[in-house]
Amino acid sequence: MSRIIVITSGKGGVGKTTVTANLGAAIANLGRSVALVDADFGLRNLDLLLGLENRVVFTAVDAIAGECRLQQALVKDKRQGGLALLPAAQNRNKEAVTAQQMKELSLELSEKYDYVIVDSPAGIEVGFQNAITAAQEAIIVTTPEVAAVRDADRVVGLLEANGIKRIHLIVNRMKAEMVQLNEMMSVEDILEILAVSLIGIIPDDQRVVVSSNRGEPLILADKVSLPGMAFNNIARRLEGDKVRFLDLMASQDNLINRFRRWFR
Amino acid sequence: MSSDSAQQSPLSDFSSTPSSVDEDLQVYLKPEGEKIRLSLPRSTQRSGSTDWSEVWQQLKHRLNGSDRSWQPGTTVHLSAKDRLLDGRQLQAIADALEEVQLQLGRIDTSRRQTAVAAATAGYSVEQHSPIAPLSTSTSEAAPQWSQPLYLQTNVRSGVDVRHSGTVIILGDLNPGGTVIAAGDILIWGRLRGIAHAGAQGNRGCRIMALRMEPTQLRIADAVAKAPETPPAQVDPEVAYIAPQGIRLTKGIDFFKTHSFSAEEGGWTDL
Ligand SMILES: Nc1ncnc2c1ncn2[C@@H]1O[C@H](COP(=O)(O)OP(=O)(O)O)[C@@H](O)[C@H]1O
Ligand SMILES: [Mg+2]
């Protein structure tokens, strides 16, 4: 059974696209086939993060309009056999696609791929509605900020109303030292509000930005970094493995137990 | 908790918040004899799809959170009011009802298109004129007092629960969420959002929570906001109107130590 998972957040700029690209690569690295769908029409950049920009010929909109076959629009990653991208159109607005079309497209992909992962736009408007329509599962991405968590909570409510019951949480851009100084929400604080299951914590790390700029997912690096490991662990947890949470504070001396609990 | 009782208006003057628990603004589910009435909010001027998705979220929230104390297979009469519903939306409602073992029976509407869509889908339909709504129960004259609304769910950010009676939530009221009740509000969980009890002016109403960490509390016309650094109180608490304004106290002793005084316009220590 293949899985259709939407990556969403409510708030923009929290790392949805970063998560989609890196998680997709990490799952493919485990030997699964993965189709990534860029549902952020008008603002496409998933192709950039994957380093596939120069190979985009057709987009999802072309496939929907019947101007090409779905297979032609898919960009296959040469570095990783199992990974493919369905790019969004950059020049068309989000009204170009209906929820029904998005649903059919995702279902068609799910016949050939183990995972269909949909990167959604920010907000809760039409583009978001389209992105979630086919999904059976969702990964909520939030940063440890009050506004991001507030929007994530709104989105969880909307997902529940749309019958999506399996909701996982990724806390992105965690700064252990700030939590320790009580200057940032802890993972525990976030879970207390959102009440969904935690699937990963990704540290705030320059290497995430560097890998995005180079178009090289973290998992492909010669020496895998801490954030790269975090993505690999999320991929394994999705596959059902019990993987302990990384100790992002290993380098810090003064451990706060309340925070540490989540990293054991 | 700092508090200030906003304009000391007389008890009978409900003018500041008369329509906040208006049944026309929310999705309602209530027993009506052998049947259950599902009443949708009147349509707004806003764009169709956003409006529908909000109604849909409310509907699912109410159905998922309900205690399901009805008999499986109970028939539901849908009051669609002036709302335009197409066949797909009617089907979605019927499916959602079926998930909680309810059966969509009749559809009451004031819109011809909705009536046609409903009849085409095979439901019995009652079309009535838009000026005189069929459900006489929503009489405008006297403020209405409904059965308690019991919801076993979290009230998340962006969700509004309004009810013309008491509201009981088994779950958290999250920041960004709102509960407005004509009666009491009981949150069996964390209260972190906004709660307004006695919204039609009843100063005797109370707000109770296992963990009181509100953004703002209101009772009748009094308002209290959370202090900058809330004291770490772990006991269940009750918020009530004292003659000086909204006060908080431990829940366990409240009813032994306080009584409501109409002359004082609030609860006083015994
Ligand atoms: N863990 C992280 N550490 C450092 N920077 C990050 C991290 N995650 C995301 N970013 C940066 O944050 C910005 C927004 O990320 P993006 O994935 O585009 O967000 P979204 O898709 O939610 O709008 C990008 O510049 C990205 O490189
Ligand atoms: Mg993005």
Side-chain angles (χ1 to χ4, degrees), chain A residues 13-14 142-144 171-175 184 202-205 209:
Chain A
V14 298
T142 187
T143 54
V171 180
N172 188 24
R173 310 200 71 161
M174 201 65 193
K175 291 192 187 98
M184 198 177 233
I202 298 154
D204 188 78
D205 195 310
V209 184

Side-chain angles (χ1 to χ4, degrees), chain B residues 130-149:
Chain B
I131 329 116
L134 189 81
S135 59
T136 44
S137 57
T138 48
S139 77
E140 309 292 332
Q144 234 198 280
W145 196 263
S146 306
Q147 301 255 313
L149 172 65

Side-chain angles (χ1 to χ4, degrees), chain A residues 17 40 45 119:
Chain A
T17 303
D40 198 351
N45 49 26
D119 181 19

